[in-house]
Amino acid sequence: MPERRTVALVTLGCARNEVDSEELAGRLAADGWDLVEDAADADVAVVNTCGFVEAAKKDSVDALLEANDLKDHGRTQAVVAVGCMAERYGKDLADALPEADGVLGFDDYADISDRLQTILSGGIHASHTPRDRRKLLPISPADRQRAGGVALPGHGAAADEALASAPADLPDGLAPASGPRAPLRRRLDSSPVASVKLASGCDRRCSFCAIPSFRGSFISRRPSDVLGETRWLAEQGVKEIMLVSENNTSYGKDLGDIRLLETLLPELAAVDGIERIRVSYLQPAEMRPGLIDVLTSTEKVAPYFDLSFQHSSPDVLRAMRRFGDTDRFLDLLDRIRAKAPQAGARSNFIVGFPGETEEDFAELERFISNARLDAIGVFGYSDEEGTEAVGYDHKLDPEVIAERLAHLSQLAEELTAQRAEERLGETVEVLVDRIDEEDGPVGRGAHQAPETDGQTLLTGGADLSPGRMVVAKVVATEGVDLVAEPLPLQGGACGEEAVR
Protein backbone atom coordinates (compact mmCIF):
# COMPACT_ATOMS: atom_id res chain seq x y z
CA MET A 1 0.00 0.00 0.00
CA PRO A 2 1.52 3.39 -0.97
CA GLU A 3 2.27 5.83 1.82
CA ARG A 4 -0.52 8.34 2.37
CA ARG A 5 0.13 11.91 1.31
CA THR A 6 0.38 14.50 4.08
CA VAL A 7 -0.42 18.20 3.97
CA ALA A 8 -0.20 21.10 6.44
CA LEU A 9 -2.17 24.32 6.12
CA VAL A 10 -0.54 27.51 7.42
CA THR A 11 -3.11 30.30 7.71
CA LEU A 12 -2.35 34.02 7.84
CA GLY A 13 -4.66 37.02 7.88
CA CYS A 14 -8.26 37.29 8.93
CA ALA A 15 -10.97 34.90 10.10
CA ARG A 16 -12.27 34.65 6.53
CA ASN A 17 -8.99 32.99 5.57
CA GLU A 18 -9.41 30.55 8.45
CA VAL A 19 -12.76 29.46 7.01
CA ASP A 20 -11.18 29.05 3.57
CA SER A 21 -8.39 26.92 5.03
CA GLU A 22 -10.93 24.61 6.64
CA GLU A 23 -12.70 24.24 3.29
CA LEU A 24 -9.38 23.28 1.67
CA ALA A 25 -8.73 20.88 4.55
CA GLY A 26 -12.14 19.28 4.02
CA ARG A 27 -11.59 18.80 0.31
CA LEU A 28 -8.13 17.30 0.88
CA ALA A 29 -9.28 14.98 3.68
CA ALA A 30 -12.16 13.77 1.51
CA ASP A 31 -9.65 12.89 -1.19
CA GLY A 32 -7.46 10.85 1.13
CA TRP A 33 -4.83 13.31 2.30
CA ASP A 34 -3.65 13.19 5.93
CA LEU A 35 -3.73 16.59 7.62
CA VAL A 36 -0.85 17.41 9.98
CA GLU A 37 -0.29 20.46 12.14
CA ASP A 38 3.44 20.96 11.63
CA ALA A 39 4.62 21.84 8.12
CA ALA A 40 7.86 19.98 8.82
CA ASP A 41 5.83 16.74 9.00
CA ALA A 42 4.01 17.34 5.69
CA ASP A 43 4.78 16.40 2.12
CA VAL A 44 3.19 19.68 1.06
CA ALA A 45 2.95 22.92 3.03
CA VAL A 46 0.04 25.07 1.85
CA VAL A 47 0.35 28.71 2.98
CA ASN A 48 -2.96 30.61 2.94
CA THR A 49 -1.67 34.14 2.38
CA CYS A 50 -3.03 37.62 3.16
CA GLY A 51 -2.84 40.36 0.54
CA PHE A 52 -4.43 43.27 2.41
CA VAL A 53 -1.60 45.65 3.42
CA GLU A 54 2.18 45.69 3.08
CA ALA A 55 2.84 44.28 6.56
CA ALA A 56 0.49 41.35 5.93
CA LYS A 57 2.03 40.67 2.54
CA LYS A 58 5.50 40.64 4.10
CA ASP A 59 4.31 38.15 6.73
CA SER A 60 2.96 35.95 3.94
CA VAL A 61 6.25 36.02 2.04
CA ASP A 62 8.17 35.26 5.24
CA ALA A 63 5.89 32.27 5.93
CA LEU A 64 6.49 30.93 2.41
CA LEU A 65 10.25 31.32 2.78
CA GLU A 66 10.20 29.66 6.20
CA ALA A 67 8.24 26.72 4.79
CA ASN A 68 10.67 26.51 1.88
CA ASP A 69 13.57 26.11 4.34
CA LEU A 70 11.92 22.90 5.56
CA LYS A 71 12.66 21.26 2.23
CA ASP A 72 16.31 21.10 3.27
CA HIS A 73 15.67 19.71 6.75
CA GLY A 74 12.38 17.84 7.00
CA ARG A 75 9.85 15.80 5.08
CA THR A 76 8.47 18.77 3.13
CA GLN A 77 8.84 18.41 -0.62
CA ALA A 78 6.72 21.30 -1.89
CA VAL A 79 5.46 24.70 -0.74
CA VAL A 80 2.28 26.12 -2.28
CA ALA A 81 0.76 29.60 -1.93
CA VAL A 82 -3.00 30.07 -1.87
CA GLY A 83 -5.23 32.83 -0.49
CA CYS A 84 -5.60 36.54 -1.16
CA MET A 85 -1.99 37.34 -2.03
CA ALA A 86 -1.81 34.40 -4.43
CA GLU A 87 -5.11 35.43 -6.02
CA ARG A 88 -4.12 39.10 -6.22
CA TYR A 89 -0.71 38.62 -7.85
CA GLY A 90 -0.80 35.18 -9.49
CA LYS A 91 2.07 34.59 -11.90
CA ASP A 92 3.79 37.81 -10.80
CA LEU A 93 4.14 36.33 -7.32
CA ALA A 94 5.35 33.05 -8.79
CA ASP A 95 8.01 34.89 -10.81
CA ALA A 96 9.12 37.00 -7.85
CA LEU A 97 9.14 34.08 -5.40
CA PRO A 98 10.57 30.98 -7.08
CA GLU A 99 10.78 29.34 -3.64
CA ALA A 100 7.03 28.68 -3.97
CA ASP A 101 6.47 25.51 -6.00
CA GLY A 102 2.97 26.62 -6.89
CA VAL A 103 0.75 29.71 -6.69
CA LEU A 104 -2.93 28.78 -6.78
CA GLY A 105 -5.91 31.11 -7.14
CA PHE A 106 -9.47 30.75 -5.91
CA ASP A 107 -10.44 28.96 -9.13
CA ASP A 108 -8.09 26.12 -8.14
CA TYR A 109 -9.75 25.42 -4.78
CA ALA A 110 -12.32 22.93 -6.12
CA ASP A 111 -9.46 20.88 -7.62
CA ILE A 112 -6.95 21.45 -4.81
CA SER A 113 -6.11 17.75 -4.44
CA ASP A 114 -5.22 17.34 -8.11
CA ARG A 115 -3.23 20.57 -8.07
CA LEU A 116 -1.13 19.49 -5.09
CA GLN A 117 -0.59 16.01 -6.51
CA THR A 118 0.67 17.50 -9.79
CA ILE A 119 3.09 19.77 -7.94
CA LEU A 120 4.23 16.99 -5.60
CA SER A 121 4.92 14.77 -8.61
CA GLY A 122 7.21 17.39 -10.11
CA GLY A 123 4.71 18.80 -12.56
CA ILE A 124 3.97 22.47 -13.07
CA HIS A 125 0.57 24.10 -12.73
CA ALA A 126 0.61 27.46 -14.50
CA SER A 127 -0.16 30.32 -12.15
CA HIS A 128 -3.14 32.42 -13.12
CA THR A 129 -3.10 35.92 -14.53
CA PRO A 130 -4.80 38.18 -11.97
CA ARG A 131 -8.12 39.73 -12.97
CA ASP A 132 -10.60 42.09 -11.43
CA ARG A 133 -13.04 39.70 -9.77
CA ARG A 134 -15.66 42.44 -9.47
CA LYS A 135 -16.34 41.89 -13.16
CA LEU A 136 -17.12 38.19 -12.79
CA LEU A 137 -20.59 38.69 -11.28
CA PRO A 138 -23.51 40.76 -12.62
CA ILE A 139 -23.65 44.41 -11.62
CA SER A 140 -27.16 43.92 -10.23
CA PRO A 141 -27.01 42.12 -6.85
CA ALA A 142 -30.35 40.45 -7.61
CA ASP A 143 -28.81 38.60 -10.57
CA ARG A 144 -25.74 37.25 -8.75
CA GLN A 145 -27.31 34.22 -7.10
CA ARG A 146 -28.13 32.82 -10.54
CA ALA A 147 -24.63 33.36 -11.91
CA GLY A 148 -22.62 30.16 -12.07
CA GLY A 149 -19.02 29.24 -12.65
CA VAL A 150 -17.50 31.75 -10.23
CA ALA A 151 -15.27 30.39 -7.47
CA LEU A 152 -16.38 31.71 -4.08
CA PRO A 153 -14.20 30.31 -1.28
CA GLY A 154 -16.30 29.38 1.72
CA HIS A 155 -19.49 29.14 -0.33
CA GLY A 156 -18.84 25.90 -2.19
CA ALA A 157 -20.12 24.86 -5.58
CA ALA A 158 -21.64 21.47 -4.87
CA ALA A 159 -20.68 19.29 -1.94
CA ASP A 160 -22.32 16.38 -3.75
CA GLU A 161 -19.73 16.72 -6.54
CA ALA A 162 -16.87 16.71 -4.04
CA LEU A 163 -18.34 13.67 -2.31
CA ALA A 164 -18.73 11.76 -5.57
CA SER A 165 -15.01 11.01 -5.61
CA ALA A 166 -14.61 10.85 -1.82
CA PRO A 167 -14.37 7.66 0.22
CA ALA A 168 -17.70 6.04 1.06
CA ASP A 169 -17.06 6.56 4.76
CA LEU A 170 -15.90 10.09 5.43
CA PRO A 171 -13.18 10.48 8.08
CA ASP A 172 -14.31 11.53 11.53
CA GLY A 173 -14.91 15.25 11.81
CA LEU A 174 -15.44 15.70 8.08
CA ALA A 175 -18.85 16.38 6.63
CA PRO A 176 -20.64 18.59 4.16
CA ALA A 177 -21.39 21.69 6.21
CA SER A 178 -24.91 21.77 4.78
CA GLY A 179 -27.06 21.43 1.73
CA PRO A 180 -26.17 20.85 -1.91
CA ARG A 181 -24.33 24.19 -2.25
CA ALA A 182 -22.10 23.99 0.79
CA PRO A 183 -18.39 23.13 0.89
CA LEU A 184 -16.78 20.30 2.70
CA ARG A 185 -15.15 21.55 5.88
CA ARG A 186 -12.65 20.04 8.29
CA ARG A 187 -11.84 21.78 11.56
CA LEU A 188 -8.15 22.49 12.01
CA ASP A 189 -8.25 23.00 15.77
CA SER A 190 -10.42 22.18 18.77
CA SER A 191 -11.25 25.74 19.78
CA PRO A 192 -14.78 26.26 21.12
CA VAL A 193 -15.19 29.18 18.70
CA ALA A 194 -15.43 28.98 14.90
CA SER A 195 -16.07 31.45 12.14
CA VAL A 196 -18.86 31.00 9.61
CA LYS A 197 -18.76 32.87 6.32
CA LEU A 198 -21.94 34.89 5.82
CA ALA A 199 -20.99 36.38 2.45
CA SER A 200 -18.03 37.15 0.20
CA GLY A 201 -16.83 40.26 -1.57
CA CYS A 202 -17.76 43.90 -1.23
CA ASP A 203 -19.63 46.46 -3.33
CA ARG A 204 -18.19 49.46 -1.54
CA ARG A 205 -15.45 51.37 -3.30
CA CYS A 206 -13.33 52.78 -0.48
CA SER A 207 -10.45 54.61 -2.13
CA PHE A 208 -7.77 52.95 0.04
CA CYS A 209 -8.94 49.33 -0.24
CA ALA A 210 -8.03 46.76 -2.88
CA ILE A 211 -10.02 43.86 -1.39
CA PRO A 212 -13.01 44.01 -3.81
CA SER A 213 -10.67 43.66 -6.80
CA PHE A 214 -9.47 40.22 -5.68
CA ARG A 215 -12.39 39.07 -3.52
CA GLY A 216 -15.03 40.25 -5.96
CA SER A 217 -18.50 41.75 -5.67
CA PHE A 218 -20.74 41.07 -2.70
CA ILE A 219 -22.68 37.81 -2.69
CA SER A 220 -24.55 36.28 0.26
CA ARG A 221 -24.68 32.66 1.30
CA ARG A 222 -28.17 31.29 1.63
CA PRO A 223 -29.57 31.21 5.18
CA SER A 224 -30.12 27.44 4.98
CA ASP A 225 -26.40 26.90 4.24
CA VAL A 226 -25.33 29.14 7.12
CA LEU A 227 -27.73 27.35 9.47
CA GLY A 228 -26.64 23.90 8.33
CA GLU A 229 -22.98 24.71 8.79
CA THR A 230 -23.66 26.13 12.26
CA ARG A 231 -25.50 22.94 13.26
CA TRP A 232 -22.58 20.83 12.03
CA LEU A 233 -20.08 22.96 13.95
CA ALA A 234 -22.20 22.62 17.09
CA GLU A 235 -21.97 18.84 16.67
CA GLN A 236 -18.18 19.25 16.59
CA GLY A 237 -18.27 20.96 20.02
CA VAL A 238 -18.25 24.60 18.90
CA LYS A 239 -19.96 26.93 21.38
CA GLU A 240 -19.46 30.34 19.78
CA ILE A 241 -20.05 31.23 16.14
CA MET A 242 -18.53 34.37 14.63
CA LEU A 243 -20.19 35.51 11.41
CA VAL A 244 -17.63 36.93 8.99
CA SER A 245 -17.59 38.59 5.59
CA GLU A 246 -16.25 41.79 4.09
CA ASN A 247 -19.50 43.57 5.06
CA ASN A 248 -22.11 41.79 7.16
CA THR A 249 -24.55 44.72 7.13
CA SER A 250 -25.16 44.12 3.40
CA TYR A 251 -26.21 40.51 3.97
CA GLY A 252 -29.32 39.55 2.05
CA LYS A 253 -29.40 42.43 -0.43
CA ASP A 254 -28.78 40.02 -3.31
CA LEU A 255 -31.39 37.63 -1.89
CA GLY A 256 -34.12 40.27 -2.00
CA ASP A 257 -34.14 41.13 1.71
CA ILE A 258 -31.62 43.59 3.16
CA ARG A 259 -33.05 42.78 6.63
CA LEU A 260 -32.31 39.06 6.32
CA LEU A 261 -29.65 39.17 9.03
CA GLU A 262 -32.27 40.28 11.55
CA THR A 263 -34.24 37.12 10.74
CA LEU A 264 -31.26 34.77 10.62
CA LEU A 265 -29.68 35.71 13.96
CA PRO A 266 -32.49 34.35 16.20
CA GLU A 267 -32.50 31.12 14.17
CA LEU A 268 -28.75 30.68 14.64
CA ALA A 269 -29.07 31.43 18.36
CA ALA A 270 -31.63 28.62 18.63
CA VAL A 271 -29.22 25.97 17.31
CA ASP A 272 -28.76 23.34 20.01
CA GLY A 273 -25.33 23.54 21.61
CA ILE A 274 -24.49 27.07 20.51
CA GLU A 275 -24.02 29.47 23.41
CA ARG A 276 -23.05 32.69 21.61
CA ILE A 277 -23.40 34.27 18.16
CA ARG A 278 -21.07 37.15 17.30
CA VAL A 279 -21.33 39.39 14.22
CA SER A 280 -18.19 41.08 12.90
CA TYR A 281 -17.44 43.62 10.14
CA LEU A 282 -20.32 46.11 10.36
CA GLN A 283 -20.50 49.27 8.23
CA PRO A 284 -21.61 52.31 10.30
CA ALA A 285 -23.37 53.89 7.31
CA GLU A 286 -25.51 50.76 6.89
CA MET A 287 -26.51 50.26 10.53
CA ARG A 288 -30.30 50.28 10.80
CA PRO A 289 -32.55 50.41 13.88
CA GLY A 290 -33.88 46.89 13.40
CA LEU A 291 -30.40 45.39 13.29
CA ILE A 292 -29.37 47.27 16.41
CA ASP A 293 -32.51 45.94 18.14
CA VAL A 294 -31.71 42.32 17.25
CA LEU A 295 -28.05 42.62 18.20
CA THR A 296 -28.88 44.13 21.59
CA SER A 297 -31.94 42.08 22.60
CA THR A 298 -31.64 38.54 21.22
CA GLU A 299 -30.66 35.88 23.73
CA LYS A 300 -27.25 34.33 22.92
CA VAL A 301 -26.47 37.04 20.34
CA ALA A 302 -23.58 39.10 21.68
CA PRO A 303 -24.23 42.85 21.86
CA TYR A 304 -20.98 43.34 20.00
CA PHE A 305 -20.36 46.05 17.40
CA ASP A 306 -17.29 45.73 15.19
CA LEU A 307 -17.82 49.04 13.39
CA SER A 308 -15.59 50.06 10.51
CA PHE A 309 -15.22 53.80 11.21
CA GLN A 310 -11.71 54.28 9.66
CA HIS A 311 -11.76 58.03 10.50
CA SER A 312 -14.20 60.65 11.78
CA SER A 313 -13.24 63.84 9.94
CA PRO A 314 -15.89 64.37 7.24
CA ASP A 315 -13.32 65.66 4.74
CA VAL A 316 -11.08 62.60 5.15
CA LEU A 317 -14.05 60.25 5.05
CA ARG A 318 -15.26 61.78 1.77
CA ALA A 319 -11.78 61.35 0.30
CA MET A 320 -11.96 57.72 1.45
CA ARG A 321 -15.37 57.48 -0.29
CA ARG A 322 -17.05 56.81 3.01
CA PHE A 323 -19.77 58.53 5.01
CA GLY A 324 -20.29 60.00 8.47
CA ASP A 325 -18.59 62.30 10.94
CA THR A 326 -17.68 62.47 14.62
CA ASP A 327 -21.09 63.50 15.92
CA ARG A 328 -23.04 60.99 13.85
CA PHE A 329 -20.72 58.20 14.93
CA LEU A 330 -21.04 59.18 18.59
CA ASP A 331 -24.81 59.29 18.20
CA LEU A 332 -24.75 55.74 16.78
CA LEU A 333 -22.79 54.52 19.80
CA ASP A 334 -25.18 56.33 22.14
CA ARG A 335 -28.18 54.63 20.50
CA ILE A 336 -26.53 51.24 20.88
CA ARG A 337 -25.67 51.79 24.55
CA ALA A 338 -29.15 53.12 25.31
CA LYS A 339 -30.40 49.63 24.44
CA ALA A 340 -27.45 47.65 25.86
CA PRO A 341 -25.24 49.61 28.29
CA GLN A 342 -22.64 46.81 28.42
CA ALA A 343 -22.40 46.49 24.64
CA GLY A 344 -18.92 46.06 23.24
CA ALA A 345 -17.64 48.30 20.45
CA ARG A 346 -14.38 48.22 18.51
CA SER A 347 -12.99 49.80 15.36
CA ASN A 348 -9.93 50.41 13.19
CA PHE A 349 -8.59 53.76 12.02
CA ILE A 350 -6.20 55.00 9.34
CA VAL A 351 -3.99 57.99 10.09
CA GLY A 352 -2.01 60.01 7.57
CA PHE A 353 -4.45 59.58 4.70
CA PRO A 354 -3.59 61.90 1.76
CA GLY A 355 -4.71 65.42 2.59
CA GLU A 356 -5.27 64.75 6.32
CA THR A 357 -4.68 68.08 8.06
CA GLU A 358 -3.84 68.73 11.69
CA GLU A 359 -7.49 69.74 12.13
CA ASP A 360 -8.64 66.44 10.66
CA PHE A 361 -6.33 64.54 12.99
CA ALA A 362 -7.60 66.54 15.97
CA GLU A 363 -11.17 65.63 14.97
CA LEU A 364 -10.23 61.96 14.96
CA GLU A 365 -8.71 62.39 18.43
CA ARG A 366 -11.95 63.99 19.60
CA PHE A 367 -13.97 61.04 18.39
CA ILE A 368 -11.73 58.37 19.89
CA SER A 369 -11.56 60.28 23.20
CA ASN A 370 -15.35 60.27 23.50
CA ALA A 371 -16.30 56.96 21.88
CA ARG A 372 -15.45 54.64 24.83
CA LEU A 373 -14.35 51.86 22.50
CA ASP A 374 -13.26 48.53 23.96
CA ALA A 375 -10.63 47.88 21.30
CA ILE A 376 -8.93 50.17 18.78
CA GLY A 377 -6.66 49.31 15.88
CA VAL A 378 -4.59 52.12 14.36
CA PHE A 379 -2.77 51.91 11.03
CA GLY A 380 -0.59 54.37 9.16
CA TYR A 381 -1.64 55.03 5.59
CA SER A 382 0.40 53.43 2.81
CA ASP A 383 -0.31 53.28 -0.91
CA GLU A 384 -1.98 50.09 -2.09
CA GLU A 385 -1.53 49.44 -5.77
CA GLY A 386 -4.73 49.38 -7.75
CA THR A 387 -6.57 51.73 -5.39
CA GLU A 388 -7.87 55.21 -6.17
CA ALA A 389 -5.90 56.80 -3.33
CA VAL A 390 -2.59 55.93 -5.00
CA GLY A 391 -3.25 58.79 -7.43
CA TYR A 392 -4.23 61.33 -4.79
CA ASP A 393 -2.21 64.51 -4.29
CA HIS A 394 -1.14 65.91 -0.93
CA LYS A 395 0.55 62.76 0.35
CA LEU A 396 1.90 63.22 3.86
CA ASP A 397 5.56 62.86 4.77
CA PRO A 398 6.26 59.36 6.17
CA GLU A 399 7.68 60.95 9.32
CA VAL A 400 4.42 62.84 9.91
CA ILE A 401 2.45 59.63 9.44
CA ALA A 402 4.75 57.80 11.87
CA GLU A 403 4.34 60.56 14.49
CA ARG A 404 0.56 60.54 14.22
CA LEU A 405 0.49 56.75 14.30
CA ALA A 406 2.57 56.65 17.49
CA HIS A 407 0.52 59.38 19.15
CA LEU A 408 -2.88 57.88 18.36
CA SER A 409 -1.73 54.35 19.23
CA GLN A 410 -0.63 55.52 22.69
CA LEU A 411 -3.91 57.38 23.16
CA ALA A 412 -5.86 54.31 22.07
CA GLU A 413 -3.98 52.12 24.55
CA GLU A 414 -4.81 54.52 27.39
CA LEU A 415 -8.46 54.90 26.43
CA THR A 416 -9.14 51.18 26.01
CA ALA A 417 -7.54 50.52 29.40
CA GLN A 418 -9.86 53.15 30.88
CA ARG A 419 -12.84 51.51 29.17
CA ALA A 420 -11.86 48.18 30.72
CA GLU A 421 -11.78 49.84 34.16
CA GLU A 422 -15.35 51.05 33.57
CA ARG A 423 -16.36 47.39 33.57
CA LEU A 424 -15.24 46.82 37.16
CA GLY A 425 -18.17 45.34 39.05
CA GLU A 426 -20.01 44.23 35.91
CA THR A 427 -21.37 40.71 35.59
CA VAL A 428 -20.07 39.09 32.43
CA GLU A 429 -20.60 35.77 30.67
CA VAL A 430 -17.18 34.33 29.87
CA LEU A 431 -16.62 31.55 27.35
CA VAL A 432 -13.54 29.60 28.44
CA ASP A 433 -11.12 29.34 25.50
CA ARG A 434 -8.19 27.55 27.11
CA ILE A 435 -6.50 26.63 30.38
CA ASP A 436 -3.21 28.49 30.77
CA GLU A 437 -0.50 26.84 32.88
CA GLU A 438 0.16 30.06 34.81
CA ASP A 439 -3.11 32.01 34.61
CA GLY A 440 -5.60 29.15 34.75
CA PRO A 441 -8.90 29.45 32.84
CA VAL A 442 -8.77 32.15 30.15
CA GLY A 443 -11.78 33.21 28.12
CA ARG A 444 -13.70 36.11 26.64
CA GLY A 445 -16.71 38.16 27.58
CA ALA A 446 -19.39 39.15 25.09
CA HIS A 447 -17.45 42.31 24.21
CA GLN A 448 -14.24 40.42 23.40
CA ALA A 449 -13.81 38.78 20.00
CA PRO A 450 -11.10 36.14 19.57
CA GLU A 451 -7.51 37.43 19.22
CA THR A 452 -8.40 41.10 18.72
CA ASP A 453 -10.14 42.47 21.81
CA GLY A 454 -8.37 41.25 24.91
CA GLN A 455 -9.36 38.40 27.22
CA THR A 456 -10.77 37.60 30.65
CA LEU A 457 -8.82 35.70 33.30
CA LEU A 458 -10.99 33.67 35.69
CA THR A 459 -9.89 33.47 39.33
CA GLY A 460 -10.62 31.12 42.17
CA GLY A 461 -9.13 27.93 40.76
CA ALA A 462 -12.46 26.86 39.28
CA ASP A 463 -12.45 23.41 37.70
CA LEU A 464 -13.33 24.56 34.19
CA SER A 465 -12.66 23.30 30.69
CA PRO A 466 -12.65 25.01 27.27
CA GLY A 467 -16.15 25.54 25.96
CA ARG A 468 -17.76 26.22 29.33
CA MET A 469 -19.75 29.45 29.75
CA VAL A 470 -19.17 31.04 33.14
CA VAL A 471 -21.05 33.89 34.80
CA ALA A 472 -18.48 36.03 36.60
CA LYS A 473 -17.95 39.41 38.22
CA VAL A 474 -15.17 41.71 37.00
CA VAL A 475 -12.84 42.37 39.94
CA ALA A 476 -9.72 43.82 38.28
CA THR A 477 -8.20 44.84 34.95
CA GLU A 478 -4.83 44.44 33.26
CA GLY A 479 -4.79 46.90 30.37
CA VAL A 480 -7.66 45.84 28.12
CA ASP A 481 -7.87 42.44 29.82
CA LEU A 482 -10.33 41.71 32.62
CA VAL A 483 -9.95 39.62 35.74
CA ALA A 484 -13.25 38.07 36.83
CA GLU A 485 -14.43 35.89 39.71
CA PRO A 486 -16.97 33.15 38.87
CA LEU A 487 -20.26 33.65 40.68
CA PRO A 488 -21.97 30.82 42.60
CA LEU A 489 -25.17 29.41 41.21
CA GLN A 490 -28.28 30.76 42.87
CA GLY A 491 -29.33 28.14 45.34
CA GLY A 492 -26.30 26.04 44.44
CA ALA A 493 -23.80 24.49 46.74
CA CYS A 494 -20.94 26.54 48.11
CA GLY A 495 -18.18 26.82 45.52
CA GLU A 496 -20.43 25.68 42.67
CA GLU A 497 -19.89 28.15 39.80
CA ALA A 498 -22.55 29.42 37.46
CA VAL A 499 -21.54 27.48 34.37
CA ARG A 500 -23.22 25.75 31.48
Side-chain angles (χ1 to χ4, degrees), residues 464 468-472 486-490 495-500:
L464 301 171
R468 301 297 295 272
M469 190 72 82
V470 183
V471 179
L487 296 175
L489 282 169
Q490 289 187 345
E496 185 177 5
E497 286 79 25
V499 299
R500 61 173 185 266

Side-chain angles (χ1 to χ4, degrees), residues 112-147:
I112 186 67
S113 180
D114 289 343
R115 300 288 185 266
L116 296 190
Q117 186 58 56
T118 295
I119 294 168
L120 191 59
S121 300
I124 297 175
H125 176 70
S127 302
H128 69 287
T129 299
R131 53 183 174 167
D132 189 339
R133 296 189 70 87
R134 291 172 293 190
K135 299 177 180 179
L136 302 183
L137 290 168
I139 293 176
S140 169
D143 294 333
R144 292 175 190 166
Q145 292 287 333
R146 295 187 293 273

Side-chain angles (χ1 to χ4, degrees), residues 23 27 144-148 152 154-161 176-184 198 219-226 229 254-255:
E23 175 189 346
R27 291 183 180 278
R144 292 175 190 166
Q145 292 287 333
R146 295 187 293 273
L152 298 169
H155 289 234
D160 292 341
E161 294 176 11
S178 69
R181 293 163 43 89
L184 293 169
L198 196 61
I219 185 165
S220 305
R221 292 182 69 196
R222 294 188 179 276
S224 57
D225 291 340
V226 177
E229 187 169 348
D254 53 322
L255 295 171

Side-chain angles (χ1 to χ4, degrees), residues 303-379:
Y304 175 79
F305 293 82
D306 177 11
L307 295 159
S308 178
F309 290 122
Q310 302 298 343
H311 211 283
S312 72
S313 164
D315 290 339
V316 174
L317 286 168
R318 300 308 175 269
M320 290 178 168
R321 300 210 177 279
R322 298 176 66 84
F323 306 94
D325 56 48
T326 295
D327 293 332
R328 273 187 274 190
F329 290 164
L330 290 175
D331 177 68
L332 172 60
L333 292 169
D334 285 344
R335 284 186 281 126
I336 289 169
R337 290 171 177 141
K339 295 180 177 295
Q342 292 186 355
R346 78 167 324 275
S347 192
N348 294 322
F349 300 91
I350 298 173
V351 299
F353 193 78
E356 182 190 63
T357 65
E358 291 184 3
E359 291 76 15
D360 294 326
F361 186 66
E363 186 68 3
L364 178 56
E365 282 189 279
R366 180 170 81 89
F367 172 66
I368 290 179
S369 297
N370 288 279
R372 296 171 57 227
L373 298 173
D374 293 278
I376 299 172
V378 185
F379 302 89

